[in-house]
Structure formats: C-alpha cells, structure tokens
Amino acid sequence: MPIQREILFYTCGDSYQLSTWSNVPYLFAKALERKGFTLHRIDISPNERLNHLFNSLCFLIFKRILHLRSCPVFHRTWLHRFITYRHLKKAAKDYPNSEMNLFLSFAFTNIYSPKPNILWCDWTDRIVIQRLGRSPQWFEKRSLAHEDIVMKKADLVYTMFPKCQRQMEKMYGREIEYLHRNVINTVYDDTYDHEKNIKVRLSSNKLLFIGNHRYISGAFRLIKAFQCIRKSYPQLELHLIGLGTADIPTMDNVYCHGYLHKDHPQEKELYYDLLLGCRCVINPTIGWAGYSSCVEAMYYGCPVIISPYDDFTEEFGNDIDFGYFCNDDDLEEKLSLILDTTKYT
C-alpha cells in the first residue's frame, strides 16, 4: 500500500475557489494532488467581519477625515496574527503526520510544528510599501517587523519574480529561491486549435481589457485611446473583464462584464470566449499590468499591449515579438499596429 504523503497547505482565501488570488491556490493544490500528495487546506485569510469593520472604520478616519495617503488594515494587526496563530496551533495538532507546512504567503510560519516551513508567494508587504514610493507608517512597523522574522525563520522561501528575488535577498539577508519560470493560470478545458484560433483573432473586432479596480487608471487610458481609434475602425468593440457599469460610464461599443467567476460555468465560458475571440489583450496600467491574465492570453497565442514593468521585462525582455509595450503617448499607435496586422506567428 503506498505511503500517504501529507502537506499542510495554507492560503489567504479558500483554495477550493478559483476566484482566490488569480486561480493560483486552486491550481497549485490540484497539481500537488495529482502528484499524489494529500493536502490539509487551511485558510489563513483575515476574519471576514472583523476585516470589514476594521478596514471601513480606518478608511473613514484616516482617509476621509484626516486625508492621509495610507491607513491601517486588519491583516497587519496583532489581532489577526493572534487569531491566525490559534489556527496554526490547531492545524499542527490535528495533522501531526504532515511532512511540511507550505504557505502561499510571506506572513506566517507554523511555529507550533517541527516540520519545515516553505513560503511561496510574489512579494512581501515591505516591498509593496516600497513600490508605493513611501516609507512605512507607524501603524505598519510592528507588522513589518513580524514579517521580517517570518522571512528569516522560514526553511525555504520562493518568489515568483526575479527582481523580487534580488530585492528580498538584500532586504532579508538570506537566500531566496526563484524557479526561473512562472505558472500559467488557466482552467480552459476544451480543445484548443492554434491555427484556427489565429484566423479567428485576425478577423476579430474585439479588444479585451482584464483587470479590477486596481487597474482602473489603465482602463481609462485604454478607453480614451479606443474612442480616438474607433473613428478609423467604427466596428471596433472594447470589452472589460473585472470592471462593471458602476466603475465605467456607459459608452458606445464599450462593454463591462464585471468579475467573471471561473467557478461558474456560464461566466467561465464567457471569459474564454472573450479571451480566445479577441484581437488582443491590452492593459496599459503603469507599474503593473496584470501579469497572470497577460501570460494566460499569451499562452493562447493572443497578442498583448501592456506598459513595460520590471517583473515582466526581466522575464520576457525589453523587446517582445508577441505584442507591444506602450508608453504614455503611443497607445493609439500600438493599437493601430495590432489592428493593421494581417498575420500572427
């Protein structure tokens, strides 16, 4: 009888749900299960009610009343850490035969378990704050100090991006692993015919944007360029996944589909109909242009027009042959180049 190999699998959200963190926990878990591991899934996301209450109150006080740039968030509080460590203690007691603690997060290790702690994520909160171009606020320093301890005590730490690897090694004074390749988060399960799909794309009049409210500045940049270029291409349509009519004003030939849950068959079908049937995927948001959605589009032979950002250019180079990088003033030009293309390779 084969030996049952067990892993304690910790995620910030329900790993059974495709909507959690760009499908990553769901697909990671499925891959491990296909390899024969038994996963004990532990959700370490903040308590929903406390998270909503705390964040709403802090937003009101710190941003609406005091007009500050940042405010406390519940996932960085001592109370969230206290609650989470209670869950970790219970997990270590309930599953003593697990071989390791695998966290899809840089926020915790299981201090109650003698088994190795493996962390796999994108970047730490300290790097997030650094990328926002500001220094940590007084209400963030204790949480960041805790994060520093976690990063130094973990047995292995993996990051998804090469630039983060260098930043984190310098920041935390330890070796950080990078696998020199990333994942493609796709759940499309129909037959894909590349040659047939190229013909569909070349005749398509649909442009596609994928991104939620964090990318809304890029969405408005795209809409502005779309309105200008549509004078030359009157049949052109712009479809936005992740933003709804509450985010984007009603406009001719602009269609907002909101968030499409891949757990729901009809929404999943619409998502892949748009992805496989569009001329290209565009996200001109400065600094970060929706890595996961762009890589999935590229996997299915879809050209992309995106702003250049370090984590993407480090992996794919400064010159790409599967689309274009766009700057502040040339998005219309790059759209025209895609629309005038008569051949994809």
Side-chain angles (χ1 to χ4, degrees):
M1 190 173 181
I3 298 173
Q4 194 86 329
R5 306 184 67 186
E6 301 179 28
I7 295 176
L8 275 165
F9 188 71
Y10 308 89
T11 56
C12 295
D14 186 352
S15 59
Y16 286 104
Q17 299 293 323
L18 278 165
S19 55
T20 300
W21 188 26
S22 301
N23 323 141
V24 173
Y26 176 91
L27 294 172
F28 202 145
K30 288 294 184 183
L32 289 171
E33 288 172 341
R34 285 195 298 270
K35 294 290 185 181
F37 291 96
T38 296
L39 300 189
H40 304 296
R41 305 184 190 215
I42 312 296
D43 184 350
I44 58 170
S45 59
N47 177 277
E48 188 173 347
R49 291 183 178 179
L50 291 174
N51 188 60
H52 176 74
L53 179 63
F54 183 91
N55 291 349
S56 299
L57 184 61
C58 287
F59 182 85
L60 175 65
I61 295 172
F62 283 77
K63 290 202 168 184
R64 290 286 177 84
I65 297 176
L66 299 178
H67 302 290
L68 299 178
R69 289 180 58 194
S70 56
C71 65
V73 288
F74 185 70
H75 81 263
R76 293 183 182 140
T77 64
W78 69 267
L79 181 55
H80 170 56
R81 293 194 295 275
F82 174 78
I83 294 170
T84 302
Y85 275 120
R86 290 183 64 186
H87 292 321
L88 299 184
K89 186 175 183 178
K90 184 177 186 302
K93 181 180 179 181
D94 289 348
Y95 306 107
N97 296 324
S98 296
E99 297 182 8
M100 69 175 74
N101 299 284
L102 176 55
F103 287 83
L104 270 59
S105 165
F106 292 143
F108 293 96
T109 57
N110 195 330
I111 60 176
Y112 304 103
S113 169
K115 305 301 171 63
N117 286 281
I118 316 298
L119 313 185
W120 187 95
C121 200
D122 43 18
W123 45 70
T124 60
D125 274 358
R126 191 174 288 280
I127 289 180
V128 170
I129 292 170
Q130 188 180 78
R131 290 186 173 192
L132 291 173
R134 63 175 179 83
S135 300
Q137 301 297 310
W138 61 268
F139 48 77
E140 296 167 325
K141 290 183 178 180
R142 181 171 293 183
S143 173
L144 295 179
H146 171 263
E147 183 182 69
D148 293 346
I149 293 171
V150 167
M151 292 297 295
K152 291 175 181 177
K153 286 190 172 181
D155 295 280
L156 280 172
V157 179
Y158 290 87
T159 180
M160 298 167 62
F161 301 106
K163 182 180 179 183
C164 285
Q165 179 192 30
R166 296 194 299 273
Q167 285 180 296
M168 290 163 64
E169 285 186 335
K170 183 177 180 180
M171 192 174 283
Y172 301 109
R174 62 161 298 162
E175 183 178 7
I176 305 293
E177 301 291 338
Y178 168 62
L179 297 179
H180 300 283
R181 61 176 300 177
N182 222 308
V183 293
I184 299 164
N185 301 329
T186 184
V187 293
Y188 183 69
D189 46 22
D190 290 338
T191 301
Y192 172 70
D193 185 325
H194 183 62
E195 295 301 321
K196 180 180 178 181
N197 186 249
I198 287 176
K199 294 177 182 178
V200 170
R201 293 195 189 283
L202 285 172
S203 62
S204 175
N205 62 352
K206 296 177 181 176
L207 304 178
L208 181 61
F209 172 93
I210 306 174
N212 59 21
H213 65 278
R214 289 175 293 180
Y215 303 94
I216 199 163
S217 61
F220 278 113
R221 282 187 66 204
L222 175 56
I223 289 170
K224 182 178 179 181
F226 170 78
Q227 290 174 322
C228 293
I229 202 169
R230 192 169 159 248
K231 297 172 184 176
S232 302
Y233 305 88
Q235 301 303 314
L236 203 60
E237 299 175 1
L238 175 59
H239 294 258
L240 299 98
I241 295 175
L243 294 171
T245 53
D247 305 300
I248 304 294
T250 301
M251 290 175 248
D252 289 342
N253 284 36
V254 176
Y255 304 93
C256 297
H257 300 281
Y259 185 87
L260 296 179
H261 294 81
K262 294 178 184 176
D263 304 273
H264 302 165
Q266 289 183 329
E267 295 185 23
K268 174 184 171 182
E269 182 179 4
L270 176 57
Y271 180 93
Y272 283 107
D273 282 349
L274 291 169
L275 183 65
L276 298 178
C278 67
R279 189 71 173 233
C280 66
V281 166
I282 311 107
N283 191 333
T285 309
I286 302 299
W288 187 261
Y291 180 93
S292 293
S293 56
C294 286
V295 168
E296 184 180 21
M298 290 152 50
Y299 180 73
Y300 291 112
C302 181
V304 296
I305 300 176
I306 61 173
S307 65
Y309 57 99
D310 291 343
D311 291 298
F312 193 93
T313 56
E314 289 231 5
E315 188 165 355
F316 297 102
N318 292 309
D319 295 307
I320 55 176
D321 58 5
F322 47 83
Y324 299 101
F325 288 127
C326 62
N327 298 310
D328 288 336
D329 56 357
D330 65 354
L331 182 53
E332 290 177 46
E333 175 191 345
K334 298 302 169 59
L335 287 170
S336 295
L337 289 172
I338 286 286
L339 293 168
D340 291 339
T341 295
T342 58
K343 183 178 180 182
Y344 290 162
T345 56

